[in-house]
Amino acid sequence: MTPELQKAWDALRAHHKDVADRRIKTLFHGDRAAAFSAQTEDLKLDYAKTNLDAEGVQLLLDLARAADLEGRRAAMFSGAPINETEGRAVLHTALRNIDGGPVTVDGQDVMGEVRDTLARMEAFAKSVRDGSFTGQGGRITDVINIGIGGSDLGPAMGTLALAPYHDGPRCHFVSNVDPADIAQVLEVCNPETTLVIVASKTFTTIETMTNARTAKAWMSERVSDPAAQFAALSTAEDKTAAFGIDPARVFGFADWVGGRYSMWGPIGLSLMIAVGPRAFRAFLDGGAQMDRHFQAAEGTDNLPLMLALVGIWHNQICGYATRAVLPYDNNLSRLPAYLQQLEMESNGKGVSMDGADLEVHSGPVVWGEPGTNGQHAFYQLIHQGTRVIPCEFLVAARGHRDELHHQHQLLVANCLAQSEALMTGRDLDAARAKVADRFEGDELERQAKHRVFPGNRPSVTLAYPQLTPFRLGQIIALYEHRVFVEGVILGINSFDQWGVELGKELATALQPIVEGADASGKDGSTAGLVGFLRDRGL
C-alpha cells in the first residue's frame, strides 16, 4: 500500500471514529436529499439515509484518487490486460459498445467480431422465434439453457426480470448437477420441440456437460438426430463438433469476457430468444449508457463511483460485514443471487495485486430477497438484531400491470417505509406510548423494550420509472462498475476466481471414491461420511 493510500484510509478511519455515534436523521437539513443523490437517464441513486456527510464523501473521493481509479478505469476501457493473474483484458463493455467506436486488444479492433457475433445471434434467435428453425416435431416451444455460474445466473435473472417482454418460447434454466434440477425441467418439455443451449466456454464444465449429456439422451428417445436441436455457447469448436452440434449454431466469445460478465454476448442467447433481438439491443443500450456515464461523470455525479464508495464506507470503514439487496420488484427476485456471484466471486479475495496479504477486509457477504416477502422473513433481524446490515432497495415508479397500479403503489409505500423505519427507529418513550393503555409499571417497561427499534441503520435506494430492457442494462452495468471500483480501491484483481478451483480439483479426486474406490487416503471425517452414505445407498 502506498503512503498516499495509507494516509487516505487512516483519514477515513479517524473521521468514522468522530461520527460513529451520530444519528443519521440529524443530518437532514438544507438540501441533503439532493446533495446525497446522483442521477443519470432517469436512474436515481439516493444515499442520503447513510451516516456520510460532506467531509466523509470527500475523504472517500480522496481514497479513490489515491488508488488511481481514473487510471485503472482508462486501462480497462482501453483493452489493457488488467486481469494480471491471467494476462487478459477485461472488455465485457465491448459487447454492448455496438454503436460506439473501436475497441482494441493487442492492437486489433475487436468490434467487428463483436458485431458479427451479435448479428449471428440475432439471425438465429429470429429463426427460432418465427418458426423457420424447428425441432423435429415442429415449432420450438421450449428452450433449455444448461450452464452454471455466469453461464446461468445472468440469463436466468434477465429472463425473469424482463418477463413482461417475454414473447418467445418458454425458457428454462438448468445449472445444478443434482439430477432433480434437470429432471424437473425435462418433465415439462417435449423433446421434439425443445431447443437445448449448452453454455460452457471450454465445453468441459463438469456440471454443464453432465446435464447436457442427460438432455441429449432424453431427446434421443424421441428424435433421430438430437444434436440438431442443440446450440452451444462455447469457443471449443472441436468439442462442440464432437458433440454433434453444427458450427452454425455455435457462438463463441473471447477470453476478455469473464463468465460473470458475459450475459451481454452469446451467454445471453436464451434471453434474446425470450424477448427478441430488439429488446435485447435495448438491454445492450442501457449498459452502454452506463459505461459512458461511468467514464464521463465527475465525483458525486457518478453513480457507480458513489455506490461503490458507500459500500466501502459501510464494509471496510464501519465494519458492516453483509449487504442486503432488496428489490421491490418480483421480476428482480433473482438479482440478489446474480449479485452474489458478481460481487463475492469478483472481490472475495485475500491478497492484493502484488500477492501481499490484504490490509483491509475484502468484499461483503451479499444476500437478499424481493420485498415485501422479506418483510415477513428476515427484516426482523435487520430492524432489531444486534448487527447493522446496510440495505440496498430497488424500486420502480410503475409496474407492468396498469389495472393493478393500486397494488404497485402499496409496494412502493412499503419500500419507502422500510428505509425510513431503518433510519428513524422508535425510542423507548414512543414504545411506552404505544402500549401504555394496556400495561403499567414493570410490565409496561418490559413490553415497551420489546417494541424499541434502534434505528440509525443505513440504506440506499435505487429508483427508476419502470423495469424495461434499457433500465435493466443500466442497473446491471451499474453494479458491474461498482464491483470494479471497489476492487481498485481494495487493490485486488476482481476478474479472476482461483478460489473456485480447489473444490473442483478435490471433487474430481473424490468421485472414484464415491463410486466405490478405497477411501483410506482421505481424512477421517471425509472417509467416514463416504462410508455412511455408501451404507445407505450411495
Side-chain angles (χ1 to χ4, degrees):
M1 188 179 295
T2 67
E4 182 184 10
L5 194 57
Q6 185 66 62
K7 181 179 178 182
W9 280 112
D10 290 345
L12 271 165
R13 293 186 183 106
H15 180 67
H16 174 252
K17 186 177 181 180
D18 291 340
V19 304
D21 296 329
R22 179 175 60 192
R23 303 289 295 184
I24 297 170
K25 63 182 179 181
T26 65
L27 298 173
F28 275 84
H29 48 77
D31 62 351
R32 177 173 176 82
F36 288 77
S37 65
Q39 186 171 329
T40 179
E41 293 281 345
D42 251 1
L43 184 67
K44 179 175 182 175
L45 171 67
D46 179 301
Y47 57 98
K49 295 187 183 78
T50 69
N51 199 20
L52 279 169
D53 55 18
E55 182 181 354
V57 169
Q58 186 56 56
L59 290 171
L60 286 165
L61 291 170
D62 292 344
L63 179 68
R65 191 174 302 109
D68 189 28
L69 174 63
E70 289 188 8
R72 296 293 293 177
R73 180 178 60 195
M76 178 176 72
F77 279 98
S78 72
I82 65 167
N83 178 354
E84 296 178 9
T85 61
E86 296 178 296
R88 297 174 181 172
V90 175
L91 280 175
H92 49 280
T93 54
L95 299 178
R96 52 199 189 229
N97 180 48
I98 305 305
D99 298 321
V103 177
T104 59
V105 177
D106 298 329
Q108 300 294 315
D109 182 9
V110 302
M111 287 311 303
E113 179 184 350
V114 168
R115 294 188 183 101
D116 287 347
T117 299
L118 179 62
R120 290 183 59 233
M121 290 171 59
E122 289 177 335
F124 181 64
K126 288 176 182 176
S127 73
V128 173
R129 287 167 57 84
D130 67 21
S132 54
F133 175 88
T134 66
Q136 289 155 76
R139 190 183 185 112
I140 295 296
T141 58
D142 294 87
V143 175
I144 302 174
N145 186 94
I146 298 177
I148 197 166
S151 298
D152 167 78
L153 286 165
M157 177 275 297
T159 301
L160 177 57
L162 299 183
Y165 302 88
H166 190 157
D167 57 1
R170 295 187 301 174
C171 286
H172 314 268
F173 296 88
V174 173
S175 57
N176 202 326
V177 76
D178 183 339
D181 194 10
I182 191 164
Q184 290 165 3
V185 170
L186 297 182
E187 284 174 358
V188 300
C189 294
N190 178 355
E192 297 176 342
T193 58
T194 295
L195 169 69
V196 178
I197 300 174
V198 184
S200 172
K201 182 182 287 189
T202 62
F203 225 62
T204 59
T205 309
I206 189 166
E207 298 95 336
T208 299
M209 297 316 301
T210 299
N211 281 323
R213 287 188 289 269
T214 296
K216 191 176 183 182
W218 164 79
M219 192 174 287
S220 68
E221 295 177 0
R222 294 270 295 276
V223 303
S224 59
D225 183 8
Q229 290 175 213
F230 274 69
L233 314 178
S234 177
T235 56
E237 294 182 2
D238 56 336
K239 293 183 175 62
T240 60
F243 198 86
I245 302 175
D246 189 320
R249 297 193 304 279
V250 177
F251 303 89
F253 47 103
D255 64 5
W256 36 259
V257 179
R260 56 194 173 276
Y261 299 89
S262 62
M263 67 179 294
W264 310 97
I267 293 298
L269 180 61
S270 55
L271 173 60
M272 182 186 284
I273 292 173
V275 302
R278 180 179 297 180
F280 191 83
R281 285 251 183 174
F283 169 68
L284 297 181
D285 289 344
Q289 186 278 328
M290 186 57 66
D291 293 341
R292 294 189 296 271
H293 170 79
F294 179 47
Q295 293 178 87
E298 296 289 340
T300 55
D301 292 328
N302 192 303
L303 268 73
L305 173 61
M306 296 314 301
L307 186 60
L309 293 181
V310 170
I312 292 287
W313 172 257
H314 287 153
N315 185 16
Q316 283 77 21
I317 301 300
C318 299
Y320 307 146
T322 79
R323 174 187 297 155
V325 177
L326 308 169
Y328 275 67
D329 189 324
N330 206 58
N331 288 336
L332 284 176
S333 60
R334 293 288 290 162
L335 180 66
Y338 173 80
L339 294 180
Q340 281 179 346
Q341 186 195 33
L342 180 64
E343 300 199 32
M344 295 172 69
E345 191 167 87
S346 293
N347 289 344
K349 308 295 171 61
V351 296
S352 59
M353 294 286 274
D354 62 5
D357 292 342
L358 283 186
E359 298 179 36
V360 294
H361 284 302
S362 56
V365 174
V366 178
W367 60 283
E369 285 286 335
T372 57
N373 291 12
Q375 292 175 204
H376 295 269
F378 52 79
Y379 277 44
Q380 170 65 45
L381 178 70
I382 293 175
H383 280 291
Q384 290 187 308
T386 57
R387 295 180 178 89
V388 175
I389 300 170
C391 295
E392 294 183 1
F393 297 96
L394 294 92
V395 66
R398 303 187 309 280
H400 289 274
R401 299 285 185 178
D402 290 343
E403 71 277 15
L404 296 175
H405 186 62
H406 64 287
Q407 286 195 214
H408 187 79
Q409 290 175 321
L410 178 59
L411 179 76
V412 172
N414 272 272
C415 178
L416 300 182
Q418 290 300 320
S419 65
E420 182 183 10
L422 285 167
M423 178 180 69
T424 60
R426 178 191 290 154
D427 63 21
L428 185 57
D429 288 341
R432 285 195 195 96
K434 291 285 288 185
V435 294
D437 60 334
R438 288 183 286 159
F439 305 103
E440 60 183 21
D442 290 344
E443 184 62 10
L444 171 62
E445 287 298 294
R446 187 179 77 85
Q447 292 285 347
K449 287 180 179 179
H450 283 279
R451 292 161 173 80
V452 169
F453 289 72
N456 209 35
R457 302 198 167 190
S459 68
V460 302
T461 300
L462 194 65
Y464 43 91
Q466 189 178 47
L467 187 62
T468 62
F470 180 87
R471 202 68 60 201
L472 180 67
Q474 280 186 304
I475 292 170
I476 299 307
L478 167 67
Y479 276 99
E480 287 179 346
H481 293 319
R482 185 252 198 100
V483 167
F484 169 76
V485 172
E486 290 184 342
V488 169
I489 291 174
L490 296 174
I492 60 181
N493 183 0
S494 298
F495 303 102
D496 61 13
Q497 55 278 334
W498 301 112
V500 178
E501 298 301 319
L502 180 58
K504 288 182 179 180
E505 294 172 11
L506 293 178
T508 300
L510 264 168
Q511 187 171 354
I513 296 173
V514 167
E515 293 172 350
D518 180 31
S520 60
K522 288 294 177 181
D523 64 86
S525 172
T526 302
L529 288 167
V530 169
F532 177 88
L533 294 169
R534 278 182 185 168
D535 291 344
R536 287 155 181 81
L538 179 65

